[in-house]
């Protein structure tokens, strides 16, 4: 039986492919390599380069991979500020891509999908920590595009019997402990990799976006989970569906919130670097605080995250950064 991973050359996808292979699964990866890296894909996985929008390409893959037990879908854009500027890019790729994928799954009789949803589907939370049953009212097009995906898959389950698990990620960070794979975005927009670029001397300083939020120190509060722990949750979710359980949605977070200033301080300690920073205006679309209630994933999926210390998470990202100062360096950049 084969697991098909869409977006398996991206940051979270490549760590999930790696964990699947380590656990003995047969894996095929689909990625258009627009943001992913061929070098991030474990060589034991079969690789198909192409786009989720391309129905003929998906048919070609699913005609070759005839024994698919489930798909894990990461192939989406995920940058909040970009989605504010270009919402249609997000609805087209994320939501539209899901429709094409589900049609192909329906026609090839593939009945299980695990997919990346996000804390951004909740928008400005009504309560902290956020529960899976809380209202989903996104404050940005990225979150809305993912919420649409959750809704479309729900109706596809009822109509075509495609079972799903939506995994609502909070903030993901870190890298595989041996430093062989990690985070490499162009351009980088996420807090921890940007802080580490400053630590490495590639940027002069960190801009802290917004210091007047109603939080402990005025900066946004986020809930960080290690990428390998996140990867493992996808495998547990697949096994959960294989055991005959019904479709479901789970938050994936640590249930602990760190402010942007606390992350900066933890990174200074983890790297031993001064990491200069300055206050800057708010970034559009950022909710003030996002912390997950993650007991449901622990209880129902049996998820046991291995990393519970944000400094340790940052250390794994720093290890990747130091051993791969130019990332995968597969874009011909100097
Ligand atoms: N952030 C920041 N400076 C940066 C990048 C991010 O202050 O250069 C803040 C951002 O405004 C948010 C937090 O860091 O409050 C986490 O942002 P990120 O883009 O990493 O993840 P998101 O929460 O948007 O998924």
């Amino acid at each position: 039986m084969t697991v098909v991973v869409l977006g398996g050359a991206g940051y979270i996808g490549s760590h999930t492919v790696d964990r699947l292979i380590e656990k003995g699964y047969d894996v095929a990866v689909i990625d258009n390599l627009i943001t992913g890296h061929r070098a991030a894909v474990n060589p034991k996985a079969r690789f198909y380069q192409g786009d989720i929008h391309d129905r003929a390409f998906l048919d070609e893959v699913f005609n070759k991979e005839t024994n698919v037990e489930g798909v894990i879908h990461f192939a989406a854009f995920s940058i909040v500020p970009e989605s504010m500027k270009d919402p249609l890019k997000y609805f087209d790729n994320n939501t539209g891509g899901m429709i094409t994928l589900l049609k192909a799954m329906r026609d090839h009789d593939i009945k299980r999908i695990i997919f990346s949803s996000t804390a951004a589907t909740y928008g400005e939370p009504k309560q902290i920590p956020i529960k899976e049953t809380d209202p989903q009212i996104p404050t940005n097009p990225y979150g809305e595009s993912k919420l649409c995906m959750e809704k479309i898959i729900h109706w596809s389950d009822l109509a075509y019997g495609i079972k799903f698990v939506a995994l609502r990620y909070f903030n993901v960070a870190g890298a595989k402990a041996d430093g062989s794979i990690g985070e490499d975005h162009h351009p980088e927009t996420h807090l921890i990799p940007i802080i580490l670029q400053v630590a490495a001397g590639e940027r002069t300083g960190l801009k802290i976006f917004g210091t007047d939020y109603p939080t402990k120190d005025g900066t946004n509060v986020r809930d960080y989970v290690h990428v390998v722990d996140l990867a493992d949750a996808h495998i547990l979710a697949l096994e959960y569906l294989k055991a005959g359980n019904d479709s479901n949605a789970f938050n994936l977070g640590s249930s602990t919130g760190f402010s942007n200033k606390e992350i900066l301080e933890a990174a200074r300690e983890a790297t031993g670097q001064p990491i200069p920073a300055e206050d800057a205006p708010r970034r559009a679309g950022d909710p003030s605080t996002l912390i997950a209630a993650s007991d449901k994933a622990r209880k129902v999926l049996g998820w046991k995250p291995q990393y519970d210390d944000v400094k340790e998470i940052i250390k794994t990202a720093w290890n990747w950064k130091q051993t791969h100062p130019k990332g995968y360096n597969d874009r011909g950049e100097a």
Side-chain angles (χ1 to χ4, degrees):
M1 296 296 272
T2 300
V3 181
V4 172
V5 181
L6 294 109
Y11 171 45
I12 305 168
S14 61
H15 284 81
T16 303
V17 169
D18 196 64
R19 289 297 277 169
L20 283 163
I21 301 267
E22 276 179 5
K23 288 173 186 282
Y25 289 83
D26 181 66
V27 183
V29 169
I30 292 176
D31 202 296
N32 62 12
L33 297 182
I34 288 181
T35 55
H37 307 271
R38 182 68 184 86
V41 180
N42 187 304
K44 291 199 180 120
R46 291 182 293 289
F47 183 75
Y48 299 92
Q49 184 172 352
D51 201 285
I52 191 172
H53 276 107
D54 184 345
R55 178 61 203 267
F57 163 71
L58 290 183
D59 283 340
E60 206 179 296
V61 175
F62 289 135
N63 284 335
K64 278 192 199 139
E65 302 290 345
T66 50
N67 209 8
V68 178
E69 58 181 333
V71 311
I72 308 184
H73 173 27
F74 298 98
F77 294 133
S78 61
I79 299 172
V80 168
E82 183 188 53
S83 80
M84 296 293 284
K85 289 203 190 88
D86 194 358
L88 294 180
K89 176 174 174 179
Y90 278 69
F91 290 112
D92 185 16
N93 184 67
N94 296 3
T95 316
M98 180 64 122
I99 294 171
T100 308
L101 173 62
L102 288 171
K103 283 184 190 162
M105 288 177 66
R106 177 196 61 194
D107 297 345
H108 290 265
D109 203 28
I110 298 168
K111 296 291 192 198
R112 298 182 196 105
I113 178 168
I114 314 300
F115 83 101
S116 321
S117 187
T118 168
T121 60
Y122 294 110
E124 196 60 63
K126 300 283 166 295
Q127 58 172 359
I128 295 292
I130 302 170
K131 289 202 178 67
E132 285 84 351
T133 46
D134 284 352
Q136 290 175 289
I137 308 167
T139 54
N140 55 63
Y142 164 60
E144 192 80 75
S145 74
K146 291 270 174 155
L147 181 57
C148 292
M149 290 163 75
E150 287 199 9
K151 291 186 173 173
I152 290 165
I153 180 75
H154 164 71
W155 295 110
S156 299
D157 177 5
L158 294 189
Y160 318 123
I162 298 175
K163 296 291 164 202
F164 70 93
V165 171
L167 296 174
R168 297 181 189 145
Y169 309 160
F170 283 64
N171 287 61
V172 188
K176 187 178 178 182
D178 71 0
S180 60
I181 49 176
E183 189 166 9
D184 184 9
H185 294 123
H186 298 263
E188 189 51 75
T189 62
H190 292 113
L191 180 66
I192 290 178
I194 284 182
I195 286 176
L196 297 183
Q197 286 178 348
V198 180
E202 292 168 23
R203 287 182 193 242
T204 49
L206 171 73
K207 286 188 171 23
I208 301 176
F209 297 144
T211 51
D212 59 347
Y213 286 97
T215 58
K216 45 190 159 188
D217 60 20
T219 65
N220 283 162
V221 170
R222 295 288 183 268
D223 176 341
Y224 291 84
V225 59
H226 192 271
V227 64
V228 175
D229 285 329
L230 195 80
D232 285 347
H234 292 76
I235 301 172
L236 291 168
L238 179 63
E239 291 303 327
Y240 163 90
L241 289 184
K242 279 166 65 182
N245 292 298
D246 211 353
S247 299
N248 216 331
F250 298 94
N251 288 342
L252 295 179
S254 68
S255 305
T256 312
F258 291 91
S259 74
N260 293 341
K261 282 188 176 163
E262 286 172 335
I263 291 293
L264 174 62
E265 210 39 61
R268 284 174 173 149
E269 286 172 28
T271 63
Q273 298 297 317
I275 315 183
E278 59 177 318
D279 296 353
R282 287 184 177 201
R283 189 176 75 173
D286 275 339
S288 158
T289 297
L290 294 174
I291 302 173
S294 61
D295 46 307
K296 184 178 170 190
R298 289 164 208 257
K299 206 164 120 204
V300 179
L301 297 179
W303 186 49
K304 289 190 199 78
Q306 301 300 303
Y307 289 86
D308 58 2
D309 177 349
V310 82
K311 217 192 298 172
E312 292 305 314
I313 294 178
I314 295 171
K315 276 186 189 162
T316 64
W318 184 230
N319 182 32
W320 155 255
K321 178 79 197 153
Q322 286 187 302
T323 51
H324 298 79
K326 293 185 191 306
Y328 293 103
N329 200 20
D330 53 1
R331 289 167 199 278
E333 285 151 7

